[in-house]
Amino acid sequence: MTRQETRLKVFAAAIELMAEQGYTATTVEAIAERAGVAKGTVFYNFGSKEQLFAQLLDYGIGLLADAMGEAGDLDTAVLAQLEFFARYGPFARVLLAEMWRTAWQDAVTALRTRVISVYERHVPGGVAPTAVFGMVLTVSIERKVLQPGRSIEEVHAELMDLLRGRITS
């Protein structure tokens, strides 16, 4: 197994555990066990739990930025975010619950410059781009947890109706 494959296994284990029980309750031992690697492998690849989480946030934000990157309009940006969080549900839950701590300010800055900036191209300035991102994030989690039978297309259509009526008119 390559180092990159090992890192991805650790990322997957860490995000699942943190989504289930939170950052604070998740231990390096549990991450290593879930990933099927030695505890020392986690430390070798990341240095510490804090560095692991910081790199995990950076990796996930990069994936999200890539997914949303070329959105030509608000409609495609919202759909890209919904689809991303449907695929990476545990990341969505961790992002909502853990990322806003002051310890992760670099990740918040990266989120703003790489992801929320996509919305800045399509909605009026101020807090609106962040509000749209947060709304789509929250609705994505709600759909996954409380309305799993609801299609992304249906949720997307409802969000776009709301956005067109409240933000862009």
Side-chain angles (χ1 to χ4, degrees):
M1 179 177 306
T2 68
R3 183 165 190 226
Q4 181 63 16
E5 291 169 334
T6 300
R7 290 172 62 85
L8 291 176
K9 278 181 71 170
V10 171
F11 279 162
I15 203 70
E16 288 170 6
L17 284 165
M18 289 175 194
E20 291 167 11
Q21 58 194 27
Y23 172 81
T24 304
T26 300
T27 65
V28 172
E29 292 83 1
I31 293 168
E33 183 178 323
R34 174 95 39 117
V37 299
K39 180 178 162 183
T41 300
V42 176
F43 287 114
Y44 173 77
N45 280 279
F46 300 101
S48 69
K49 178 178 148 182
E50 293 78 17
Q51 289 176 352
L52 164 61
F53 190 60
Q55 289 178 44
L56 174 63
L57 287 174
D58 188 54
Y59 176 74
I61 289 166
L63 291 176
L64 178 56
D66 290 347
M68 293 180 64
E70 297 302 317
D73 58 20
L74 181 60
D75 193 280
T76 55
V78 168
L79 183 59
Q81 187 181 346
L82 283 168
E83 289 174 340
F84 179 86
F85 287 137
R87 182 173 180 193
Y88 298 103
F91 183 73
R93 289 191 307 277
V94 169
L95 197 62
L96 185 62
E98 304 290 344
M99 156 160 198
W100 306 103
R101 297 177 188 214
T102 55
W104 313 121
Q105 287 306 299
D106 289 345
V108 173
T109 300
L111 182 70
R112 168 149 279 299
T113 59
R114 298 186 68 197
V115 176
I116 295 173
S117 64
V118 172
Y119 286 122
E120 290 173 341
R121 296 192 305 254
H122 308 297
V123 297
V127 299
T130 302
V132 172
F133 175 81
M135 177 179 66
V136 176
L137 172 61
T138 303
V139 168
S140 295
I141 294 168
E142 179 190 71
R143 179 182 107 31
K144 185 84 166 177
V145 173
L146 300 176
Q147 302 174 359
R150 206 158 175 223
S151 73
I152 288 176
E153 294 76 16
E154 181 182 357
V155 171
H156 176 247
E158 189 173 333
L159 283 171
M160 292 314 300
D161 287 346
L162 175 67
L163 289 170
R164 286 185 191 106
R166 306 275 185 198
I167 294 178
T168 59
S169 61

